[in-house]
Amino acid sequence: MEKDNTHKSPIERRKFVKMLGSVVAGGSILAATGVFFSKLRTGEETHYWQIDPQKCTHCGKCETDCVLTVSAVKCFHANKICGYCDLCGGYYRSNVKDLNTAAENLMCPTGAIQRKFVEDPYFEYKIDEDLCNGCAKCVKGCTSFGNGSLYLQIKRNLCVDCNECQIAKVCPSIAITRVPLAQAYKLKG
């Protein structure tokens, strides 16, 4: 007596699902490759967004208007021009009563600026990029009460490279422009 072969075995269905998954994955890879090459052909991958520190007014829009939850704009520190001051306008709020690291005395709302004693009366300041939200409060303080060694810049590796940057659209000083990838960051110092 012969067996009825009208029912497929579960092994064949698994093979079919596996093959279907491979086709979908392969198609996704091909589609992504096509988008990449079309961007490359049109020149989109050859530019990125950048802030000109000389034009930036530290308005705070970099924090609030970036399409990312935490802005791709981060504070940078120009060590060459820093005074390493004990009373740093970017580190401390103005008119603090005590020079201590209590949160109410500090300019940065997220604690992204770290201070390390060098020698009396000098301190070294570093920015913790993971904590920085691009609010520009420290930059404004450093520019108002210091030498302006703190400034904002868009981190290329964090930016999603929107065709039309939301921050650039609302920037009051037109400090954000799209520049060639070969062009270095505009730095202070």
Side-chain angles (χ1 to χ4, degrees):
M1 180 154 188
E2 281 187 38
K3 288 187 178 180
D4 184 11
N5 286 333
T6 56
H7 292 1
K8 301 281 185 185
S9 70
I11 294 171
E12 289 179 14
R13 277 184 266 185
R14 284 188 195 121
K15 284 181 184 177
F16 174 75
V17 170
K18 189 176 180 182
M19 182 182 71
L20 185 63
S22 297
V23 168
V24 169
S28 299
I29 291 170
L30 285 174
T33 304
V35 168
F36 171 76
F37 281 116
S38 86
K39 279 186 176 183
L40 197 58
R41 213 176 39 242
T42 60
E44 287 182 42
E45 290 294 316
T46 61
H47 288 74
Y48 69 99
W49 293 103
Q50 183 180 108
I51 299 174
D52 185 340
Q54 306 306 326
K55 292 182 179 179
C56 179
T57 60
H58 336 296
C59 65
K61 293 187 183 290
C62 288
E63 175 194 16
T64 58
D65 286 272
C66 185
V67 297
L68 298 172
T69 306
V70 178
S71 180
V73 175
K74 302 296 177 186
C75 178
F76 280 59
H77 186 223
N79 292 324
K80 291 180 187 176
I81 62 173
C82 182
Y84 296 93
C85 306
D86 182 19
L87 182 58
C88 172
Y91 186 71
Y92 286 116
R93 293 181 188 268
S94 58
N95 301 320
V96 295
K97 293 183 180 165
D98 293 317
L99 293 181
N100 62 44
T101 57
E104 64 271 10
N105 294 333
L106 302 182
M107 186 65 78
C108 182
T110 63
I113 301 177
Q114 297 161 357
R115 168 177 148 128
K116 178 181 161 191
F117 179 75
V118 177
E119 65 180 29
D120 203 25
Y122 302 108
F123 287 84
E124 179 180 18
Y125 297 91
K126 290 187 178 183
I127 311 301
D128 184 341
E129 184 180 299
D130 293 335
L131 295 176
C132 181
N133 63 2
C135 70
K137 291 177 182 176
C138 61
V139 177
K140 192 171 195 167
C142 183
T143 304
S144 298
F145 304 107
N147 56 12
S149 62
L150 296 175
Y151 63 99
L152 295 178
Q153 194 51 266
I154 299 171
K155 291 289 290 186
R156 287 185 208 170
N157 62 325
L158 300 176
C159 180
V160 294
D161 201 25
C162 301
N163 290 332
E164 189 173 11
C165 177
Q166 294 299 322
I167 306 169
K169 287 169 62 174
V170 297
C171 180
S173 62
I174 311 168
I176 301 172
T177 56
R178 201 157 167 80
V179 298
L181 196 56
Q183 185 174 331
Y185 276 125
K186 290 184 180 179
L187 304 175
K188 274 191 159 181

